């Protein structure tokens, strides 16, 4: 399954699917493919993600977002996260996050994991 995580956007990505994810599998994906840049409780190379579900895009004070993300009026939900993870720069041209997840079920797992973490969680 993890072999399907590629560092390039898939033109055939099926963003927007409503697959229900598995948070335990999502945690493994997060640790292997997101934690190099993101932590749950603090900003690193990428903004903190512990409370990302339901948060406005580009809204963490003090994190230097791209204009692309900062100007977005969108809120992170299962649908918007799915589009983002399928291809960040395709979803929001100019976005600086360079990885994407081609497999819809794997995206759903990561989203389920993020969704299971409220704002106060630490790693
Ligand atoms: C190579 C580093 C890197 C990796 C790996 C990475 N990200 Fe990111 N991520 C970023 C950067 C940088 C941004 C800010 C992008 C911008 O400002 O355009 C970001 C932004 C985000 C945002 C928007 C947050 C907000 O505050 O609006 C989400 C959601 C996100 N990443 C999820 C993930 C997930 C889930 C993974 C693992 C599948 C992941 N990222 C892997 C670097 C990374």
């Amino acid at each position: 399954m993890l072999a399907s995580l590629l560092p390039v956007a898939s033109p055939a990505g099926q963003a927007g699917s409503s697959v229900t994810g598995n948070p335990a599998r999502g945690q493994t994906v997060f640790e292997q493919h997101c934690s190099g840049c993101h932590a749950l409780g603090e900003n690193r190379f990428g903004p903190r993600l512990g409370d990302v579900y339901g948060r406005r895009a580009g809204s963490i004070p003090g994190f230097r977002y791209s204009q692309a993300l900062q100007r977005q009026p969108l809120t992170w939900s299962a649908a918007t996260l799915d589009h983002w993870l399928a291809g960040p720069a395709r979803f929001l041209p100019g976005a600086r996050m360079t990885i994407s997840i081609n497999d819809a079920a794997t995206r759903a797992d990561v989203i389920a994991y993020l969704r299971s973490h409220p704002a106060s969680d630490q790693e």
Side-chain angles (χ1 to χ4, degrees), residues 37-53:
C37 296
H38 291 282
L40 294 177
E42 63 185 21
N43 296 336
R44 293 207 178 138
F45 183 72
R48 70 162 194 264
L49 293 182
D51 57 349
V52 75
Y53 197 91

Side-chain angles (χ1 to χ4, degrees), residues 97-114:
M97 185 169 127
T98 48
I99 78 145
S100 61
I101 300 176
N102 289 333
D103 182 61
T106 306
R107 290 197 300 273
D109 290 343
V110 182
I111 293 165
Y113 172 66
L114 293 175

Side-chain angles (χ1 to χ4, degrees), residues 35-121:
S35 62
C37 296
H38 291 282
L40 294 177
E42 63 185 21
N43 296 336
R44 293 207 178 138
F45 183 72
R48 70 162 194 264
L49 293 182
D51 57 349
V52 75
Y53 197 91
R55 191 167 87 195
R56 228 197 93 152
S59 65
I60 296 283
F63 184 83
R64 287 177 59 99
Y65 290 99
S66 63
Q67 294 279 331
L69 204 56
Q70 205 165 17
R71 284 193 184 147
Q72 278 309 311
L74 68 84
T75 297
W76 292 122
S77 65
T80 53
L81 283 169
D82 191 55
H83 283 287
W84 171 256
L85 294 176
R90 189 177 43 180
F91 181 46
L92 303 178
R96 285 192 293 112
M97 185 169 127
T98 48
I99 78 145
S100 61
I101 300 176
N102 289 333
D103 182 61
T106 306
R107 290 197 300 273
D109 290 343
V110 182
I111 293 165
Y113 172 66
L114 293 175
R115 196 174 181 171
S116 71
H117 281 275
S120 58
D121 264 14

Side-chain angles (χ1 to χ4, degrees), residues 13-37:
Q14 300 163 327
S17 87
S18 56
V19 185
T20 305
N22 175 320
R25 278 203 304 260
Q27 178 167 10
T28 306
V29 177
F30 185 89
E31 284 165 0
Q32 294 182 345
H33 297 279
C34 314
S35 62
C37 296

